[in-house]
Amino acid sequence: MMRVVGHEKQLDMFRTAIKNGRVHSSYMFVGQSGIGKKLFALQLARMLNCQSSDILKRPCGECLSCQKIESGTHPDVMTISVLEEKSWISIDQVKEIIKGLQFSAVQGGYNVRIIDDAHLIQEQAANSLLKILEEPPQNTVIILITPVPRSLPRTISSRCVTVHFGIFSDAEIKSELQKFNLDKSELDFVISIAMGSLGKAIKLASDKESIAEYKDLIDNFKIGKFINKRYERNEVVELLNMLASQTRFSQPEKLEIILKMRNYIRRNTNINLTLEVLRQNLL
């Protein structure tokens, strides 16, 4: 069953908007990846289309509308994102989801369109979307989801109500990870590199082998074993991301040098030399 963790402030805001009939036609959900923005967007779609007469109890999770949205078969709720092996959201994808919006929702509620990773929308696709944002049909809600709102054209973002989503606390993440039966060392490690992202934490916690591999990778780097081995550049960036996540607690004064070296790696500097300079700075 679909379940939203946290974000109570945002839930209350939308319940009030629905109750008062003040639902906006377009929203932009902003916040780092892995904190449940897409799941919340689907929750909002259920709230808008739930057949329960008690707004405070929406979504009920039991009516036909709630069940169809959860199973992805509701005719009035559509979601798009970047297709596999593609780099952008295409104009064809946008045309597909806005087609028919001029008509009333099939089941009498709201037409909801969710665009995940909206910052990856092609210019032509953005122009096509802009037309519907400028003159939204009645009972239509379009939700753009992005961790980098500034990457969207100003013409698009200015027509959306921005809703910010904060990160999860370590205590909230710890509570959600109890079901994975991690030992204290594993649990502390996952929380330390999740950086408030529940999605990232759950993904890592569900694969104990990856936890062990990542821990060994960081430990080996700290004692110099990482040097003189061949790694892909993206692997090194991921290592430094994890190292930065841990350092923000243990050695916050060292965070700047890690981020600086990560940027050097991204600019095609020599990997081994850059890592050795970083390691010496962390001693």
Side-chain angles (χ1 to χ4, degrees):
M1 179 179 177
M2 188 185 299
R3 175 171 166 263
V4 171
V5 178
H7 309 312
E8 292 299 327
K9 181 180 178 181
Q10 291 83 353
L11 282 170
D12 288 342
M13 181 190 79
F14 280 111
R15 286 196 182 101
T16 300
I18 294 170
K19 181 179 179 180
N20 295 332
R22 294 182 178 176
V23 178
H24 200 268
S25 61
S26 53
Y27 293 94
M28 183 165 60
F29 287 3
V30 176
Q32 75 173 44
S33 299
I35 57 175
K37 300 185 299 298
K38 182 178 178 181
L39 189 62
F40 190 97
L42 289 169
Q43 183 83 331
L44 176 56
R46 294 203 303 167
M47 291 168 67
L48 291 168
N49 288 288
C50 180
Q51 295 165 348
S52 172
S53 58
D54 188 345
I55 292 176
L56 295 179
K57 292 183 178 179
R58 294 184 182 180
C60 68
E62 298 176 357
C63 69
L64 183 60
S65 181
C66 283
Q67 291 175 2
K68 283 189 174 183
I69 292 173
E70 182 158 358
S71 64
T73 59
H74 197 293
D76 302 323
V77 179
M78 296 178 63
T79 300
I80 61 169
S81 186
V82 179
L83 296 174
E84 190 175 349
E85 298 182 358
K86 298 291 184 180
S87 301
W88 305 98
I89 295 173
S90 70
I91 187 171
D92 289 337
Q93 288 178 277
V94 171
K95 284 183 175 180
E96 180 65 26
I97 65 166
I98 65 177
K99 183 172 62 178
L101 283 181
Q102 67 271 29
F103 303 112
S104 298
V106 175
Q107 298 197 352
Y110 281 79
N111 279 310
V112 180
R113 301 294 185 264
I114 300 168
I115 303 178
D116 197 13
D117 291 325
H119 54 285
L120 298 178
I121 192 168
Q122 280 183 325
E123 184 178 354
Q124 282 185 317
N127 292 335
S128 181
L129 178 63
L130 181 59
K131 295 176 183 178
I132 207 75
L133 294 179
E134 290 175 332
E135 299 180 13
Q138 189 174 10
N139 286 4
T140 292
V141 174
I142 297 174
I143 304 169
L144 310 182
I145 302 173
T146 178
V148 282
R150 291 183 181 179
S151 296
L152 282 161
R154 178 64 181 164
T155 51
I156 296 289
S157 60
S158 65
R159 287 170 171 79
C160 299
V161 173
T162 300
V163 181
H164 291 277
F165 289 80
I167 62 174
F168 290 89
S169 69
D170 289 350
E172 288 174 319
I173 293 177
K174 184 176 182 179
S175 176
E176 291 298 314
L177 296 185
Q178 295 304 315
K179 60 186 176 183
F180 292 99
N181 297 318
L182 304 177
D183 62 35
K184 186 179 185 304
S185 172
E186 293 169 333
L187 183 61
D188 290 345
F189 178 78
V190 171
I191 291 174
S192 73
I193 68 171
M195 288 196 71
S197 169
L198 180 58
K200 182 177 181 179
I202 289 176
K203 182 179 180 181
L204 185 55
S206 61
D207 185 356
K208 286 198 172 188
E209 288 186 6
S210 290
I211 296 176
E213 289 175 6
Y214 285 137
K215 286 178 69 176
D216 287 345
L217 196 59
I218 291 177
D219 290 343
N220 286 338
F221 167 74
K222 289 179 178 178
I223 62 176
K225 286 186 177 180
F226 190 90
I227 311 303
N228 298 325
K229 289 190 176 182
R230 295 184 62 85
Y231 288 94
E232 296 294 330
R233 199 165 292 271
N234 62 333
E235 289 180 296
V236 179
V237 170
E238 180 62 21
L239 165 70
L240 297 189
N241 284 336
M242 290 188 289
L243 199 59
S245 299
Q246 285 194 319
T247 303
R248 68 191 172 108
F249 292 118
S250 59
Q251 295 176 289
E253 72 280 2
K254 300 288 188 179
L255 183 57
E256 184 178 354
I257 185 65
I258 296 174
L259 297 179
K260 182 184 291 186
M261 293 301 164
R262 183 189 66 182
N263 289 336
Y264 286 159
I265 292 292
R266 285 173 169 167
R267 294 174 190 167
N268 293 323
T269 57
N270 181 281
I271 291 176
N272 288 344
L273 178 59
T274 304
L275 289 176
E276 181 57 25
V277 170
L278 173 60
R279 196 176 71 84
Q280 292 297 327
N281 275 274
L282 294 180
L283 294 176

